[in-house]
Amino acid sequence: DSRMNQGLGLGLFAAGLSAAPLLAAAVELTPNARLHVDHAWHEADTRSLDDALIIRRAQFGLDGKVNETWSFEVTYDFAKVGAFKDVFLQYKGWKSAAIKLGQFKVPFGLEELTSSNNITFIERALPGDAFGLSRRAGIGFDRVGSRYTFSAMGFGDAIDGDEGRGAGLRYTFTPVRTGDALVHLGVAVITERPQGEVKFNARPESRPSDTRFVNTGGLDDIRRVDRLGLEAAWQAGPLTAQAEWMRADATRRSGPDASFDGWYVAGSWVLTGEVRRYRNGVFKAMPTGKPYGAWELALRYSEVELDDGQVRGGREDNFSLGLNWYAHERWRLMADYISVRSERRGVPDNPAIVLVRVQFTL
């Protein structure tokens, strides 16, 4: 029962917070936690959509530092049925470089690699949901320079599933970074040999209804999936804009291949003047030093195309308006209005969604 699992998740989350100081004192660990609670209201179109409240994330983890060279992280999400998130050992014996062993994010996508605590909208855009791999178990190498980052990873299955093995690379470059001005450019590639069926789908940038308006269904006899991602971002003080384009090519052993793509462009204005932090190729937390916190207004347009030949996964484009209140460094309130335009196999479905989140981080 999902309510029972969510209740258990909250209980374990609270217990973890209570025990964290004792654990930290005993074994010199630093606890981390996040709780994201979402509620969605729907104006349905073709299919029925139920308003719902969910615990989107209830994560508790421990960061450990053995010495200046070795560190580790273990994080578990108790929401729904539960799943391991980051579980890795890291070696930092070289200047500006590190090796990871365990489960962590495959290096693909600016928005995907930005923490869920720090993304501008409640959910990531359509193409990231459709084509990103999130976390897999493997070995990775990261190098950071003054104006670039380079990440490489060889991966297999995730701890909780996702069969397949492959490799990914990501390179970012900041040709402009002076004061509050920033230009970010990036490219990422993944090649994967999946096991079993492969499917591409995307939720409408909202999770409570768990609905997917575009979905290829299971694609069989897939020999290889290659992904390409291009990313760009610009920042000038409280103004930020970013865009990404992603493509996935599925190569079959026999029969026609299939290609899908998607993109988004987003912009935000921090009304209270704060400047979003940026480090190591991703955006970080918003500073919240003022007594009334920071307020942010954001716009996004996203699109994904999952039709190709005999594969009729559909097409969707969303327009989103977001308002965020960073009340405190640990608390954020978010509200998104999402206008969905989708069509699959000749049937349109164009609902509207109001999505809100209460977010706590430790």
Side-chain angles (χ1 to χ4, degrees), residues 21-148:
L22 295 176
L23 290 170
V27 295
E28 297 182 350
L29 300 175
T30 302
N32 69 75
R34 69 187 68 180
L35 178 64
H36 298 172
V37 181
D38 296 357
H39 193 287
W41 295 268
H42 303 88
E43 183 180 308
D45 183 26
T46 301
R47 74 179 74 183
S48 176
L49 298 171
D50 294 328
D51 300 341
L53 173 73
I54 66 167
I55 298 172
R56 178 68 174 88
R57 297 178 182 90
Q59 296 181 15
F60 177 76
L62 295 170
D63 300 325
K65 180 183 274 190
V66 179
N67 50 42
E68 294 302 317
T69 300
W70 293 94
S71 61
F72 62 90
E73 180 177 338
V74 179
T75 303
Y76 191 83
D77 190 350
F78 296 99
K80 295 187 178 180
V81 296
F84 280 102
K85 296 297 184 178
D86 291 314
V87 182
F88 62 82
L89 177 68
Q90 183 169 247
Y91 173 77
K92 284 187 170 181
W94 304 303
K95 183 179 180 181
S96 302
I99 288 180
K100 285 182 182 179
L101 179 65
Q103 176 167 284
F104 46 93
K105 285 187 176 181
V106 179
F108 188 79
L110 172 60
E111 195 175 44
E112 175 62 32
L113 295 173
T114 300
S115 168
S116 61
N117 288 330
N118 302 326
I119 54 178
T120 304
F121 290 86
I122 294 175
E123 294 291 344
R124 297 177 174 92
L126 291 171
D129 193 24
F131 307 126
L133 289 183
S134 189
R135 293 169 176 84
R136 294 288 188 91
I139 184 169
F141 172 82
D142 298 305
R143 183 170 180 82
V144 178
S146 60
R147 290 188 178 270
Y148 76 91

Side-chain angles (χ1 to χ4, degrees), residues 108-332:
F108 188 79
L110 172 60
E111 195 175 44
E112 175 62 32
L113 295 173
T114 300
S115 168
S116 61
N117 288 330
N118 302 326
I119 54 178
T120 304
F121 290 86
I122 294 175
E123 294 291 344
R124 297 177 174 92
L126 291 171
D129 193 24
F131 307 126
L133 289 183
S134 189
R135 293 169 176 84
R136 294 288 188 91
I139 184 169
F141 172 82
D142 298 305
R143 183 170 180 82
V144 178
S146 60
R147 290 188 178 270
Y148 76 91
T149 70
F150 173 77
S151 299
M153 181 181 183
F155 59 84
D157 299 347
I159 293 175
D160 300 300
D162 291 329
E163 297 182 350
R165 64 184 187 277
L169 299 172
R170 179 178 183 252
Y171 177 81
T172 71
F173 177 57
T174 51
V176 176
R177 193 172 185 188
T178 56
D180 293 339
L182 168 74
V183 173
H184 162 105
L185 301 172
V187 59
V189 294
I190 296 175
T191 184
E192 179 190 16
R193 294 189 178 274
Q195 298 180 17
E197 290 186 336
V198 173
K199 65 175 65 175
F200 297 94
N201 55 58
R203 296 177 178 86
E205 298 169 352
S206 172
R207 286 295 184 100
S209 68
D210 200 29
T211 299
R212 295 168 176 83
F213 296 101
V214 289
N215 190 349
T216 64
L219 306 178
D220 57 8
D221 203 31
I222 300 296
R223 179 169 60 88
R224 191 179 75 246
V225 177
D226 297 314
R227 294 171 170 86
L228 171 64
L230 303 177
E231 57 193 62
W234 167 86
Q235 185 178 56
L239 300 175
T240 304
Q242 70 182 61
E244 295 190 71
W245 173 83
M246 297 179 179
R247 178 183 175 93
D249 296 315
T251 303
R252 280 193 161 105
R253 295 180 180 86
S254 60
D257 300 336
S259 297
F260 316 105
D261 65 4
W263 62 279
Y264 76 87
V265 59
S268 71
W269 174 28
V270 184
L271 305 175
T272 45
E274 286 82 358
V275 179
R276 186 180 299 277
R277 298 184 179 101
Y278 173 93
R279 187 172 70 251
N280 298 344
V282 296
F283 286 102
K284 299 294 185 177
M286 181 75 70
T288 56
K290 297 176 181 176
Y292 48 81
W295 288 83
E296 180 181 34
L297 184 65
L299 295 170
R300 181 171 69 190
Y301 176 83
S302 59
E303 179 180 302
V304 68
E305 174 71 65
L306 299 183
D307 284 340
D308 187 29
Q310 297 179 352
V311 180
R312 313 305 295 171
R315 182 182 186 278
E316 180 177 341
D317 58 88
N318 290 359
F319 174 79
S320 300
L321 173 65
L323 179 64
N324 301 322
W325 179 35
Y326 302 82
H328 183 269
E329 63 179 1
R330 302 197 186 283
W331 290 95
R332 176 164 66 153

